[in-house]
Amino acid sequence: MPTILRCKCIIVGDATVGKSSITQVFHSDGSHFPKNYVMTQGVEVLVKLVNIPETSDSVEMYIYDTAGKEIFSDFVKRLWDHPSVIMVVYDCTSETSFSSCVKWLERVRAQSPNTQIPGALIANKVDLEQRRIISPKKGQELAQANKLEYFECSAKEMQNVDTPFFYLANEFHKVYEERAELFNSLS
Amino acid sequence: MFDVALSPAGAQIALATSSDEKHPPENIIDGNAETFWSTTGMFPQEVVIKFQTLMRITNVHISSYNVKKLKLEASETEDSNKYDTIAETELEETDSQLQQEEIQLGEKRAHSLRIVIESGFDHFVSLHKVVVSGQAMHH
């Protein structure tokens, strides 16, 4: 029987940066991009199984697509206990959404301050080249300063949406392997 | 008094919410603290140990790592879903050595014992050994 890890993936970022679009494109294997905006209230949870290459293991990702509107923040925080991995999303055409990233990240990390939580920083809407304000370099620097892995994607064009999820699933699997070795060395 | 949570004594694992076949839940009732059951992500997690018969149990000793909040529940009948909470405890974090938690129960009747791990100090926790002191009840 293969090992199946369970991973609680919290997706945060300002309203309208595309968190739900990213989640739904990934969840539907690129067959569904929500064309109309529907504001997420509270949290929507989607589950998807990711296989870990070169092993028979897989990671079942419980994706917590979280409301970005501030009015829901007290409510959604209660659903963030024990985060496994974090995905912080910004819209590369919006300065405000970029400068909110650290705030979102800190809110999730505050749930388990002593736990190392793998994280990814996502620049979404990179298809809007003309309107882009936040350069790749700025994104990379912010990621590095906050121990996140940097990714660019376009949910609308279905480009590179899977990569950050695969990255996070792999990181979580690595943590598991390390811990299993640690447990083995005890007693 | 005996350790009634040993597989040679007829104890079995009835259910576990995590399964890595390299570290199966049976490892907690094999009497060996070197082998362990590892949880595989998210909380809560639980494991149910079913005794050979209805037991009178007095205390439980748990060897574990990174467990924070823990709850013990007992069921008196063989196939009931009715569990009563018999103990709740919060463990201290340890650094590179096992947590050793002794839980006194007074006297409780149990045909099976459910161990609920409500939270941990890390993503994953391990249970190495569970010793349940008790004896069979005679009717």
Side-chain angles (χ1 to χ4, degrees), chain A residues 1-8 56-57 60 62 64 81-85 114-118 172 175-177 179-187, chain B residues 17-23 33-43 45 64-66 93 96-98 118-126 128:
Chain A
M1 247 181 31
T3 303
I4 299 177
L5 305 184
R6 288 196 201 100
C7 174
K8 183 168 177 175
S56 57
D57 301 345
E60 199 168 41
Y62 290 72
Y64 281 57
D81 65 295
H82 293 94
S84 306
V85 299
N114 300 317
T115 308
Q116 164 210 344
I117 303 169
F172 192 62
V175 174
Y176 178 70
E177 301 265 273
R179 294 304 182 273
E181 215 156 284
L182 171 68
F183 299 154
N184 231 339
S185 72
L186 303 167
S187 81
Chain B
T17 49
S18 278
S19 72
D20 174 348
E21 63 178 359
K22 295 191 288 295
H23 309 293
E34 279 174 31
T35 60
F36 58 90
W37 172 58
S38 173
T39 68
T40 56
M42 295 179 52
F43 293 96
Q45 294 277 347
S64 59
Y65 196 66
N66 273 337
E93 192 173 10
S96 50
Q97 59 176 358
L98 292 179
E118 295 185 314
S119 62
F121 290 106
D122 193 23
H123 300 292
F124 309 105
V125 309
S126 57
H128 292 247

Side-chain angles (χ1 to χ4, degrees), chain A residues 115-126:
Chain A
T115 308
Q116 164 210 344
I117 303 169
L121 180 69
I122 321 289
N124 190 28
K125 310 194 189 177
V126 294

Side-chain angles (χ1 to χ4, degrees), chain A residues 99-185:
Chain A
S99 46
S100 295
C101 286
V102 174
K103 171 192 81 182
W104 287 110
L105 181 66
E106 280 170 357
R107 278 187 191 170
V108 183
R109 281 190 173 155
Q111 297 283 325
S112 307
N114 300 317
T115 308
Q116 164 210 344
I117 303 169
L121 180 69
I122 321 289
N124 190 28
K125 310 194 189 177
V126 294
D127 53 293
L128 302 173
E129 284 166 53
Q130 304 300 317
R131 286 166 49 195
R132 182 163 188 164
I133 300 171
I134 311 298
S135 67
K137 188 163 170 285
K138 274 178 90 176
Q140 276 157 1
E141 282 169 2
L142 183 74
Q144 212 169 14
N146 291 283
K147 298 199 175 73
L148 299 168
E149 191 78 8
Y150 176 71
F151 296 91
E152 294 193 351
C153 79
S154 162
K156 183 166 164 272
E157 302 297 324
M158 299 185 181
Q159 271 172 18
N160 211 30
V161 172
D162 296 351
T163 329
F165 288 98
F166 293 155
Y167 166 78
L168 290 172
N170 268 294
E171 288 300 300
F172 192 62
H173 182 259
K174 270 192 232 163
V175 174
Y176 178 70
E177 301 265 273
E178 280 170 27
R179 294 304 182 273
E181 215 156 284
L182 171 68
F183 299 154
N184 231 339
S185 72

Side-chain angles (χ1 to χ4, degrees), chain B residues 107-135:
Chain B
E107 238 178 48
K108 290 285 183 320
R109 292 146 61 98
H111 201 300
S112 50
L113 179 73
R114 177 196 263 167
I115 303 169
V116 183
I117 302 162
E118 295 185 314
S119 62
F121 290 106
D122 193 23
H123 300 292
F124 309 105
V125 309
S126 57
L127 285 194
H128 292 247
K129 194 174 171 181
V130 174
V131 175
V132 179
S133 302
Q135 55 190 18

